[in-house]
């Protein structure tokens, strides 16, 4: 089960990085909840396409992954260039590095719930340091 | 191994909530690294005692815990009342709820490295809403 969830997660990340949105339903439940909001599959896809529109060089890179069914926990390391405002911060095309620590609950073979925290304080510190 | 790490983690959390700092060395390595900074055990303890000084009603409550050796991943749910400034935000004695998603690497039976992200954006949103 653990190996399957690792494989599942890496396939999901590959789907995101390929922006293969027609495949997203293989990984994400139709009634998915993200940070307490019932986005559903369409809302989840809109969130992701919005992220790529705001951050053209966005890439998902899992640094740490820990799996204990039904949960996948991952630390994603981002290094990217948001065009304008990101998380309410005026990044304006500067390159920023930050992490996201995120939990996923897998139910019936798909992501049913996501609890994500992005390290906004790290971006603020980086922007102040320029 | 998984069960041992769960037991270890719950004993660590109990140690924090009891502010039993004389026991901290049972859980935390002498050269512990926190978010890329080599705090060491004394620096780690100072960070925690500082947190309790700033937030008298601080309590650590793991909502989710996923274990895959050598990692423990946890989502901690906080509901507390920082006295003054917290994460650079003027909380000033208001009650705030927020989460921390955190990974720990366990080496030789102790926490050797921590990667923590606190949901600062959630606190900002809550403060704006008052």
């Amino acid at each position: 089960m653990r190996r399957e969830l690792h494989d599942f997660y890496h396939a999901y990340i590959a789907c995101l990085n390929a922006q293969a949105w027609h495949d997203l339903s293989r990984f994400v439940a139709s009634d998915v909840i993200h940070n307490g909001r019932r986005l559903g599959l369409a809302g989840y896809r809109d969130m992701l396409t919005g992220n790529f529109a705001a951050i053209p060089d966005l890439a998902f890179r899992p640094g740490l992954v820990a799996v204990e069914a039904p949960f996948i926990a991952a630390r994603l390391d981002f290094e990217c260039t948001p065009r304008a405002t990101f998380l309410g911060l005026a990044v304006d095309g500067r390159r920023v590095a930050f992490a996201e620590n995120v939990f996923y609950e897998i139910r019936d073979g798909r992501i049913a719930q996501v609890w994500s925290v992005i390290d906004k304080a790290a971006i603020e510190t980086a922007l102040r340091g320029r």
Side-chain angles (χ1 to χ4, degrees), chain A residues 43-98:
Chain A
Y44 197 87
R45 190 186 55 233
D46 290 349
M47 175 184 71
L48 288 165
T49 57
N51 291 342
F52 276 99
I55 310 171
D57 62 350
L58 182 62
F60 291 80
R61 291 179 308 184
L64 301 173
V65 180
V67 163
E68 181 175 9
F71 297 108
I72 299 171
R75 181 173 173 89
L76 300 168
D77 296 313
F78 294 98
E79 200 180 326
C80 58
T81 317
R83 281 184 204 278
T85 297
F86 179 58
L87 303 177
L89 301 173
V91 177
D92 293 331
R94 283 174 286 185
R95 193 160 184 78
V96 288
F98 60 92

Side-chain angles (χ1 to χ4, degrees), chain A residues 1-127:
Chain A
M1 184 60 169
R2 184 183 292 183
R3 177 45 43 205
E4 285 87 334
L5 285 178
H6 275 281
D7 291 347
F8 169 86
Y9 188 63
H10 285 287
Y12 165 68
I13 291 294
C15 171
L16 300 189
N17 284 327
Q19 301 182 50
W21 307 126
H22 53 286
D23 282 342
L24 195 64
S25 64
R26 289 172 46 208
F27 303 101
V28 176
S30 60
D31 57 350
V32 63
I33 295 170
H34 182 275
N35 283 356
R37 292 169 58 217
R38 188 174 295 271
L39 293 185
L41 177 60
Y44 197 87
R45 190 186 55 233
D46 290 349
M47 175 184 71
L48 288 165
T49 57
N51 291 342
F52 276 99
I55 310 171
D57 62 350
L58 182 62
F60 291 80
R61 291 179 308 184
L64 301 173
V65 180
V67 163
E68 181 175 9
F71 297 108
I72 299 171
R75 181 173 173 89
L76 300 168
D77 296 313
F78 294 98
E79 200 180 326
C80 58
T81 317
R83 281 184 204 278
T85 297
F86 179 58
L87 303 177
L89 301 173
V91 177
D92 293 331
R94 283 174 286 185
R95 193 160 184 78
V96 288
F98 60 92
E100 174 183 357
N101 284 5
V102 54
F103 284 81
Y104 310 83
E105 182 179 0
I106 310 304
R107 208 181 317 129
D108 299 329
R110 287 181 172 75
I111 295 168
Q113 191 155 185
V114 181
W115 296 265
S116 156
V117 183
I118 293 175
D119 195 352
K120 183 175 178 180
I123 305 174
E124 290 171 335
T125 301
L127 293 176

